[in-house]
Coordinates of all heavy atoms in Angstrom, one line a residue:
Q94 N -9.8 13.6 12.3 CA -10.4 12.6 11.4 C -10.3 13.0 10.0 O -10.1 12.2 9.1 CB -11.9 12.4 11.8 CG -12.6 11.3 11.0 CD -12.0 10.0 11.2 OE1 -11.9 9.5 12.4 NE2 -11.5 9.3 10.2
A95 N -10.3 14.3 9.7 CA -10.1 14.8 8.3 C -8.8 14.3 7.8 O -8.6 13.9 6.7 CB -10.3 16.3 8.3
L96 N -7.8 14.4 8.7 CA -6.4 13.9 8.3 C -6.4 12.4 8.0 O -5.8 11.9 7.1 CB -5.4 14.3 9.4 CG -4.0 13.8 9.2 CD1 -3.4 14.3 7.9 CD2 -3.1 14.3 10.3
H97 N -7.1 11.7 8.9 CA -7.2 10.2 8.6 C -7.8 9.9 7.2 O -7.3 9.1 6.5 CB -8.1 9.6 9.7 CG -7.4 9.3 11.0 ND1 -7.7 8.2 11.8 CD2 -6.5 10.1 11.7 CE1 -6.9 8.3 12.9 NE2 -6.2 9.4 12.8
F98 N -9.0 10.6 6.9 CA -9.6 10.4 5.7 C -8.7 10.8 4.5 O -8.7 10.1 3.4 CB -10.9 11.2 5.6 CG -12.0 10.5 6.4 CD1 -13.1 11.3 6.9 CD2 -12.1 9.2 6.7 CE1 -14.1 10.8 7.6 CE2 -13.1 8.6 7.4 CZ -14.1 9.4 7.9
A99 N -8.0 11.9 4.6 CA -7.1 12.4 3.6 C -6.0 11.3 3.4 O -5.6 11.0 2.2 CB -6.5 13.7 4.0
A100 N -5.4 10.9 4.5 CA -4.4 9.8 4.4 C -4.9 8.6 3.7 O -4.2 8.0 2.8 CB -3.8 9.5 5.8
Q101 N -6.1 8.1 4.1 CA -6.7 6.9 3.5 C -6.9 7.1 2.0 O -6.7 6.2 1.2 CB -7.9 6.6 4.2 CG -7.7 6.1 5.6 CD -8.9 6.1 6.5 OE1 -10.0 6.6 6.1 NE2 -8.8 5.5 7.7
A102 N -7.3 8.3 1.6 CA -7.5 8.6 0.2 C -6.2 8.5 -0.7 O -6.2 7.8 -1.7 CB -8.1 10.0 0.0
V103 N -5.1 9.0 -0.2 CA -3.9 9.0 -0.9 C -3.2 7.6 -0.8 O -2.6 7.1 -1.8 CB -2.9 10.1 -0.5 CG1 -3.6 11.5 -0.7 CG2 -2.4 10.0 0.9
M104 N -3.4 6.9 0.3 CA -2.8 5.6 0.5 C -3.5 4.6 -0.5 O -2.9 3.7 -1.0 CB -2.9 5.1 1.9 CG -2.0 5.9 2.9 SD -2.4 5.6 4.6 CE -1.7 4.0 4.8
S105 N -4.8 4.8 -0.7 CA -5.6 3.9 -1.6 C -5.2 4.1 -3.1 O -5.5 3.3 -3.9 CB -7.1 4.1 -1.4 OG -7.5 5.4 -1.9
G106 N -4.7 5.3 -3.3 CA -4.4 5.7 -4.7 C -5.5 6.3 -5.5 O -5.4 6.7 -6.6
S107 N -6.6 6.5 -4.8 CA -7.8 7.1 -5.5 C -7.5 8.6 -5.7 O -8.1 9.3 -6.5 CB -9.1 6.9 -4.7 OG -9.0 7.4 -3.4
M108 N -6.7 9.2 -4.8 CA -6.3 10.6 -4.9 C -4.8 10.7 -4.6 O -4.2 9.8 -4.0 CB -7.1 11.5 -4.0 CG -8.5 11.6 -4.3 SD -9.4 12.7 -3.1 CE -11.1 12.4 -3.6
D109 N -4.1 11.7 -5.1 CA -2.7 11.9 -4.8 C -2.4 13.1 -4.0 O -1.3 13.2 -3.4 CB -2.0 12.1 -6.2 CG -2.1 10.9 -7.1 OD1 -2.1 9.7 -6.6 OD2 -2.3 11.1 -8.3
C110 N -3.3 14.1 -3.9 CA -3.0 15.3 -3.2 C -4.3 15.9 -2.6 O -5.2 16.3 -3.3 CB -2.4 16.4 -4.1 SG -1.8 17.9 -3.3
V111 N -4.4 15.9 -1.2 CA -5.6 16.2 -0.5 C -5.3 17.2 0.6 O -4.2 17.0 1.3 CB -6.3 15.0 0.0 CG1 -7.6 15.4 0.8 CG2 -6.7 14.0 -1.1
I112 N -6.1 18.1 0.9 CA -6.0 19.0 2.0 C -6.9 18.5 3.2 O -8.1 18.3 2.9 CB -6.3 20.5 1.7 CG1 -5.2 21.1 0.8 CG2 -6.5 21.3 3.0 CD1 -5.5 22.5 0.4
A113 N -6.3 18.3 4.3 CA -7.1 18.0 5.5 C -7.0 19.3 6.4 O -5.9 19.8 6.6 CB -6.5 16.8 6.3
A114 N -8.1 19.7 6.9 CA -8.1 21.0 7.7 C -9.2 21.0 8.7 O -9.9 20.0 8.9 CB -8.4 22.1 6.7
G115 N -9.3 22.1 9.5 CA -10.3 22.2 10.5 C -10.5 23.7 10.8 O -9.6 24.5 10.6
V116 N -11.7 24.0 11.2 CA -12.1 25.4 11.5 C -13.1 25.4 12.6 O -14.0 24.5 12.7 CB -12.6 26.2 10.3 CG1 -13.9 25.6 9.8 CG2 -12.7 27.7 10.5
E117 N -13.0 26.4 13.5 CA -14.1 26.6 14.5 C -14.0 28.1 14.9 O -12.9 28.5 15.4 CB -13.8 25.7 15.7 CG -15.1 25.3 16.4 CD -15.9 24.2 15.7 OE1 -15.3 23.2 15.2 OE2 -17.1 24.4 15.6
S118 N -15.1 28.7 14.8 CA -15.2 30.1 15.4 C -16.2 29.9 16.6 O -17.4 30.0 16.4 CB -15.7 31.1 14.4 OG -15.9 32.4 15.1
M119 N -15.7 29.8 17.8 CA -16.5 29.6 18.9 C -17.1 30.9 19.4 O -18.0 30.9 20.2 CB -15.8 28.9 20.0 CG -15.2 27.5 19.6 SD -14.4 26.6 20.9 CE -15.7 26.1 21.9
T120 N -16.7 32.0 18.8 CA -17.3 33.3 19.0 C -18.6 33.4 18.2 O -19.6 33.8 18.7 CB -16.3 34.4 18.6 OG1 -15.2 34.4 19.5 CG2 -17.0 35.8 18.8
R121 N -18.5 33.1 16.9 CA -19.6 33.4 16.0 C -20.6 32.2 15.9 O -21.7 32.4 15.5 CB -19.0 33.7 14.6 CG -18.1 35.0 14.7 CD -17.4 35.2 13.4 NE -18.2 35.7 12.3 CZ -18.2 36.9 11.8 NH1 -17.4 37.8 12.3 NH2 -19.0 37.3 10.8
V122 N -20.1 31.0 16.2 CA -20.9 29.8 16.3 C -20.7 29.2 17.6 O -19.9 28.3 17.8 CB -20.6 28.9 15.1 CG1 -21.7 27.7 15.1 CG2 -20.6 29.6 13.8
P123 N -21.4 29.6 18.7 CA -21.1 29.2 20.0 C -21.3 27.7 20.2 O -22.1 27.0 19.6 CB -22.1 29.9 20.9 CG -22.5 31.1 20.0 CD -22.5 30.6 18.6
M124 N -20.6 27.1 21.2 CA -20.6 25.7 21.5 C -22.0 25.3 21.9 O -22.7 26.0 22.7 CB -19.7 25.5 22.7 CG -19.5 24.0 23.1 SD -18.1 23.7 24.2 CE -18.3 25.0 25.4
G125 N -22.5 24.2 21.3 CA -23.9 23.7 21.5 C -24.9 24.3 20.6 O -26.1 23.8 20.7
L126 N -24.6 25.3 19.8 CA -25.7 25.9 19.0 C -26.4 24.9 18.1 O -27.6 25.0 18.0 CB -25.0 27.0 18.1 CG -26.0 27.8 17.3 CD1 -26.9 28.7 18.1 CD2 -25.2 28.7 16.3
A127 N -25.7 24.0 17.5 CA -26.3 23.1 16.5 C -27.4 22.2 17.2 O -28.3 21.7 16.5 CB -25.2 22.2 15.9
S128 N -27.3 21.9 18.5 CA -28.3 21.1 19.2 C -29.2 21.9 20.0 O -30.4 21.6 20.1 CB -27.6 20.1 20.1 OG -26.7 20.7 21.0
Q129 N -28.7 23.0 20.6 CA -29.6 23.8 21.5 C -30.7 24.6 20.8 O -31.8 24.7 21.2 CB -28.7 24.7 22.4 CG -27.8 23.9 23.3 CD -26.8 24.8 24.0 OE1 -26.8 26.0 23.8 NE2 -25.9 24.2 24.8
L130 N -30.3 25.1 19.6 CA -31.2 26.0 18.9 C -32.4 25.2 18.4 O -33.6 25.6 18.6 CB -30.5 26.7 17.7 CG -31.3 27.8 17.0 CD1 -31.7 28.9 18.0 CD2 -30.5 28.4 15.9
P131 N -32.2 24.0 17.7 CA -33.4 23.2 17.3 C -34.2 22.8 18.5 O -35.5 22.8 18.4 CB -32.8 22.0 16.6 CG -31.4 22.5 16.2 CD -31.0 23.4 17.2
A132 N -33.6 22.3 19.6 CA -34.3 21.9 20.8 C -35.2 23.0 21.3 O -36.4 22.8 21.7 CB -33.4 21.4 21.8

Side-chain angles (χ1 to χ4, degrees):
Q94 184 61 57
L96 177 54
H97 281 216
F98 285 154
Q101 290 163 352
V103 301
M104 291 168 74
S105 72
S107 62
M108 296 181 184
D109 300 319
C110 187
V111 178
I112 287 178
V116 65
E117 209 76 47
S118 176
M119 299 183 77
T120 295
R121 300 170 74 108
V122 188
M124 186 164 51
L126 183 69
S128 58
Q129 294 169 3
L130 190 60

